[in-house]
Structure formats: C-alpha cells, structure tokens
Amino acid sequence: MKHETKQYGNDVPKIEKPKILVVNDDAASLLALTSLLDQWADESNYEVLAARSGQDALRQVLLHDFAVILLDVNMPGMDGFETAEAIHQRARSADIPIIFVTAFLADEIDRLKAYQRGAADFLFTPVIPQILHAKVSVFVALATKNEELKRQAYKLSQRTTELTATNKRLTREMEERRAAERKSHAKDEFLAMLGHELRNPLSAISSAASLIGLPGAGSETVTRAKLIIQRQSQHLSRIVDDLLDLSRAMSGKILLSIQPVELSALVSACLDTFRATGRSAGYQFDVDMLPGWVNGDATRLEQIATNLIDNALKYTPAGGSIGIALTAEGDDVVLTVRDSGVGISPELLPQVFDVFVQGSITLDRSQGGLGIGLALVRRLAELHGGSVGAHSAGPGKGSTFTIRLPRATPAAAPLMAPAAPDSAKPSVLLIEDNEDGREMMATMLSAYGYAIEHAPDGVQGVQMAVSFLPDVALVDIGLPGIDGYEVARRLRKDSRTSHIKLIALTGYGLEDDQRRVLEAGFDLHLVKPVAIQNLLDAIGHCTLQGAKA
C-alpha cells in the first residue's frame, strides 16, 4: 500500500493526502463515483483522481501512489481484469489494493478471476453510498497509518544515524584523548628522567669543584676530582648531543656525509670502545660478522651500532649474553643485536622506537640514559634508506633488534696520504664571549704549545686579528656587538686578514647553520662542546690546507 511523500533535505518526509483512483469508461458512472467520493474527501483527508480506460489508469499509476483503486470490470479494449493484472505486474504498484466495481449478478467464475487478478474487495452496482464510504475509508485509514509508520521509521533511522555518528565521534575523541594522555604522561616521565640525568652529573661536577677548592685537599684528591669533572662533563655532552641529534633527525635536517663504509669493521671498532671503557665487562659476547658494505655516514652508522649495543648492555644483567651478527640478505646488509636481558612486553613492543615511549622507567636504570636511543636509531636508519625491527618473546626473555641497510659495492682500497711535514704549530686567535669557556680553551691550547690570543667580543676580535695576524681564528657565532658571521665577512674583506683560516664555534648544528657559516667565509664548522682532540684536528686540518694552497 503506497502513496506519495516528498522529502526536503534531511527533514522528515512530508506526507501528502492519500489518493483514490476511479477507473470507468462510462462517463456518467465515473462522474457519479467521483462525486460521491468528493463529498467525504475533506473529512477523510484524501484526494480523488479519475481514469476513462485501462491505459489511462496505468499512466496514473506510473505518476502517483494510490491508497485504493476502484476499477470497473467491464471496459472496452483493456477490461478490468487485464488492467488489474498490468497494475500488479509493476513493482511500484504491486501492492495497491483494487476494489472491482461490477454488477451484483456477476457469476462466481468472474469473482474467482477477479481475486486471481489481485482483487481486495467488490462493489456492486448500483453502488450504495454508505458501503462505498465504509470500504474506501478502511483503505484510506490503512494508507494513512502506513505513512505514519514510515515517518516513525524514518525518524528512528535518522535518530539511529545520528546516534551512530555521535557514538563514533565520542569513541574517536576518547581514543584521541587517551593517546594524548599517554603521550603527555610519556613526556612528563621523559622530562623527569631528563632532570634526573642532568642533575646527577651536575651534582658530581659541583661537588668535585668544591673539593678542589678546599684548603686541605691533597694532590691525589684533586686529581680524582678533576677526573670526575672530566668524566661527568663528557656525560653531559653526550646527553646534549643525543637530544640535538634526535631533534635534527626527526626534522630531517641532519646532514649526512655519504661514503662507502665497511660495517663489520665499524661495529668492531664500537665494541673495542666499549671494552676499553669497561662497559662490556661481565658480559658474554657472541660476535659473528661477515664483511658488509653500505653507503652511509660513518659517524651516524657508528651511532646506530653504539646505541644498539648500549641498549643491550643497559637492559641485560651482568653475566648475561649479547650476540652481534652481520649478514647479507638479498640486497640488504643486516645487523642483528640480540641480548638475554629483561625483554619487552607485548604492549610496549610496537612502540619501542617511538619518541618519549620506552619502558626504562620501570626497569633497572643503573646505567642511566634518556631512553631516546632507539628513536634515534630508527630515524638514522631511515635516513640511510634502511629499516629497523624489534622482537621479544616477552618480559625476562631477551630482545632482538635488527637493522637493514641497502648493500653497496665495496670501495677500492684508499691510497695512503703522504705524511704532513713537520712544522711549527700555528698561532691561534680565540674570539669567545663566555669568560669561563674562553679561559679554559685558551689555557688548554697553550698547554698544547699553541701561541694564542683571545678577545671577548666581535669588534675587539677583528681589531686583534689585524694586529696579531694569527694563522687560525676560532670564532664563536653568538657574540655581542657584531656576531661571528659579521666577523668572518670583515676578516675576509680586509687584505691583511683574508688569509686567516676561520673555524666557527657554535651551539647550532643544523644544515642551515652550516650553510650560513660557510657562506660567511668560514673554513670549518664545529658544534659546541668541542672535544680537545677534535679541535686540535680541525686546527691541523686548516693549517695543512693553507700550506697546500
């Protein structure tokens, strides 16, 4: 049972009046029936349409939905039975109830045929108005109730859709909130850990410095205090380096110096460093490495290997075993570091390479560290076109970390560089505004036999360069008055100082910082804090380059 509805956007469908179709080829009979029905149309809230033939009725059925059809049986051409059959063959009109209008004396065979064609009821002529009204009212009421049910179903469907959308949104917001809370909690833990890691060496340095200043401190005590200051300063430097390296790596601004690297030799050198410092004492190492060449930055690849080995040592109790393997698989060189340590829980395993996410808060932290080493490992491996993976059977069952890097063609044996001729050490000008840093570096270079002068700002530095004419100038970038870039530009413009080799000292190590340094006229770029050996090597490199020029 159907009749028309109209829908406007997402609003509830608007119900139109139920329609009644009267089909009769006799004009007088058609007028009589429609007139009778029109009398009750307003009261019963329906609309009456008329058709003069079976074909006309089919056209009306195509255009409208009807609550009921009053169909004359005896019509020329297409009679009532054929019209009813045609109406019910169409899916759109298959359920429309049909009341056949026929003579009272219709035989039983005609009645049977009518029911077979889908007749819902009969009206016998002459039509009695009360019976007509009663029969039509039933079908109009059914149509109206059906439309009300459709409206309710539509409203329910709309409400269900809204509730589903709301539920999805709330679920998504809850997941986002939980993720944000986890991330915030991880950052809080990281910052707390960072504070702990910074305060420990700072406390040791402060205590050692105070001890040196005590009147009764013996030479042995002072020597031990100096070693503590040196060791803890190096520890602080490593913490800062890790943070800066991670920041640069995550932003994609880390600068790689790509060249062929034989990975097994590099990893072996890392192991030698751990043995020399005593970090590997008490552990059983199983090393099985085949030669494997990759194109990469040797320093960054060393960071990868060092962090993986350090991670294995950190989370493996003394007496445990650590396995290191290097193999070739297809087009990849595969470095595997396996340990028998505390293992990784299934919940943490997918996140071990994420920044600020690690399990060290609840594990033994006797070796210290920030817990960002694995995040740095992953990013450095990706920058080399490689990938990382982690596996653990669970807590207490050890861990395995795997690095895959694209395999490269072995490099030809390098030619031995001729030994640099012996020469007097170059004179050095140090331009640095930090008084303690300036004094310590000047004292250190003097102890190594360099003739050194120093200046506290850029203007005095330029003036001293003109009067002193050093071979090498070490210039801090963040200077008062004029910065290090301007110092370099002025020294390069002056014919008296243009020959001086310039080395930039800066706390900024991004690729853009290095580019600005070289564009300003510097020969080398060093990032603070600079190890004394690296500084001496840089001075020697600049001096050698100047001699060749």
Side-chain angles (χ1 to χ4, degrees):
M1 190 180 300
K2 300 180 180 179
H3 76 77
E4 292 181 346
T5 61
K6 288 187 178 179
Q7 187 169 330
Y8 301 92
N10 294 324
D11 297 332
V12 178
K14 178 184 177 182
I15 295 182
E16 295 188 348
K17 292 181 180 181
K19 292 182 175 62
I20 299 172
L21 178 62
V22 180
V23 186
N24 199 306
D25 66 303
D26 182 67
S29 299
L30 183 61
L31 179 60
L33 281 173
T34 55
S35 297
L36 280 174
L37 292 170
D38 283 337
Q39 293 179 21
W40 310 301
D42 291 336
E43 175 188 343
S44 299
N45 194 36
Y46 59 75
E47 183 180 349
V48 181
L49 299 179
R52 293 287 301 273
S53 65
Q55 289 84 352
D56 192 15
L58 293 177
R59 283 191 292 271
Q60 293 287 354
V61 167
L62 290 174
L63 296 174
H64 306 284
D65 290 331
F66 291 98
V68 63
I69 298 176
L70 302 179
L71 182 58
D72 183 29
V73 173
N74 298 311
M75 292 188 298
M78 179 183 288
D79 64 16
F81 299 133
E82 293 171 334
T83 303
E85 187 174 6
I87 290 173
H88 284 166
Q89 282 179 349
R90 290 178 170 84
R92 176 182 170 86
S93 54
D95 297 327
I96 298 177
I98 297 175
I99 299 177
F100 281 102
V101 180
T102 183
F104 183 77
L105 298 177
D107 58 34
E108 292 300 322
I109 293 179
D110 284 344
R111 293 187 186 186
L112 177 61
K113 185 188 294 185
Y115 284 121
Q116 289 174 341
R117 298 300 190 278
D121 204 348
F122 280 90
L123 270 175
F124 301 105
T125 56
V127 173
I128 300 173
Q130 293 79 1
I131 295 177
L132 172 63
H133 186 207
K135 290 181 179 291
V136 167
S137 295
V138 170
F139 291 109
V140 169
L142 286 174
T144 302
K145 180 58 70 175
N146 186 48
E147 287 306 314
E148 289 177 357
L149 291 174
K150 286 181 181 180
R151 284 171 60 86
Q152 293 174 5
Y154 181 83
K155 289 181 179 179
L156 181 60
S157 175
Q158 288 290 93
R159 186 60 178 158
T160 302
T161 301
E162 292 172 1
L163 289 174
T164 302
T166 301
N167 184 57
K168 287 181 178 179
R169 187 182 71 254
L170 290 175
T171 301
R172 184 174 64 253
E173 289 176 354
M174 290 173 62
E175 291 174 350
E176 291 173 352
R177 187 177 295 111
R178 283 195 293 266
E181 289 173 352
R182 285 195 300 268
K183 191 173 183 180
S184 177
H185 180 64
K187 285 184 178 180
D188 289 342
E189 288 184 340
F190 173 79
L191 291 174
M193 190 193 318
L194 176 59
H196 174 268
E197 292 299 323
L198 291 175
R199 288 190 184 96
N200 279 345
L202 286 173
S203 176
I205 291 171
S206 177
S207 298
S210 299
L211 185 61
I212 291 174
L214 291 177
S219 59
E220 183 179 345
T221 300
V222 170
T223 299
R224 190 167 63 253
K226 288 179 178 178
L227 290 175
I228 289 173
I229 291 174
Q230 182 181 15
R231 186 165 58 249
Q232 294 303 319
S233 296
Q234 291 173 349
H235 180 55
L236 279 174
S237 179
R238 284 195 299 271
I239 290 175
V240 174
D241 286 343
D242 280 349
L243 289 170
L244 292 176
D245 282 342
L246 181 63
S247 175
R248 288 193 290 264
M250 295 305 294
S251 63
K253 295 182 178 179
I254 200 165
L255 186 64
L256 298 181
S257 177
I258 302 296
Q259 60 185 5
V261 178
E262 205 287 286
L263 208 54
S264 65
L266 183 144
V267 176
S268 295
C270 293
L271 277 172
D272 290 341
T273 301
F274 279 103
R275 293 189 184 102
T277 58
R279 282 278 283 113
S280 61
Y283 294 90
Q284 178 182 348
F285 277 83
D286 179 15
V287 181
D288 182 14
M289 294 191 294
L290 298 175
W293 286 85
V294 298
N295 286 323
D297 186 314
T299 301
R300 300 306 181 183
L301 292 174
E302 184 178 342
Q303 277 184 287
I304 291 175
T306 298
N307 281 335
L308 287 180
I309 297 171
D310 183 69
N311 186 76
L313 290 169
K314 192 179 298 181
Y315 297 120
T316 302
S321 62
I322 295 173
I324 302 174
L326 187 69
T327 59
E329 295 183 10
D331 295 330
D332 294 332
V333 173
V334 182
L335 173 63
T336 304
V337 179
R338 184 186 66 259
D339 65 67
S340 61
V342 298
I344 307 171
S345 67
E347 297 79 17
L348 182 62
L349 189 59
Q351 307 172 43
V352 291
F353 294 106
D354 292 348
V355 182
F356 303 134
V357 178
Q358 32 81 36
S360 55
I361 298 299
T362 58
L363 304 177
D364 174 30
R365 291 190 49 77
S366 60
Q367 303 294 341
L370 293 176
I372 61 176
L374 292 180
L376 183 58
V377 164
R378 178 174 68 175
R379 189 64 187 127
L380 290 175
E382 290 172 347
L383 288 174
H384 282 84
S387 61
V388 298
H391 173 74
S392 176
K397 298 182 180 179
S399 308
T400 301
F401 292 88
T402 303
I403 303 291
R404 291 180 174 272
L405 299 170
R407 190 162 52 167
T409 303
L415 297 175
M416 294 299 292
D422 292 334
S423 60
K425 290 186 177 180
S427 56
V428 178
L429 170 63
L430 173 61
I431 307 175
E432 167 66 68
D433 65 315
N434 183 280
E435 185 174 352
D436 291 340
R438 184 175 67 252
E439 181 181 349
M440 287 297 98
M441 188 173 292
T443 303
M444 189 73 69
L445 289 173
S446 295
Y448 277 90
Y450 291 89
I452 185 163
E453 295 287 344
H454 48 84
D457 59 52
V459 174
Q460 292 186 46
V462 172
Q463 293 171 350
M464 190 165 290
V466 173
S467 60
F468 179 48
L469 294 179
D471 297 305
V472 178
L474 307 176
V475 186
D476 182 30
I477 295 299
L479 293 170
I482 60 173
D483 61 23
Y485 300 121
E486 182 60 24
V487 169
R489 283 189 284 267
R490 293 187 183 186
L491 293 180
R492 285 287 178 250
K493 287 181 181 179
D494 193 327
S495 60
R496 295 169 296 175
T497 57
S498 60
H499 68 282
I500 299 174
K501 294 296 179 180
L502 302 180
I503 299 177
L505 301 177
T506 175
Y508 300 99
L510 298 181
E511 186 176 352
D512 281 350
D513 300 315
Q514 183 173 14
R515 177 184 54 77
R516 290 187 64 191
V517 160
L518 297 179
E519 288 176 352
F522 284 95
D523 297 284
L524 283 178
H525 171 249
L526 297 179
V527 179
K528 294 180 181 179
V530 184
I532 185 62
Q533 189 57 53
N534 291 342
L535 181 60
L536 297 178
D537 290 343
I539 294 173
H541 174 77
C542 280
T543 306
L544 182 60
Q545 293 297 110
K548 288 181 179 179

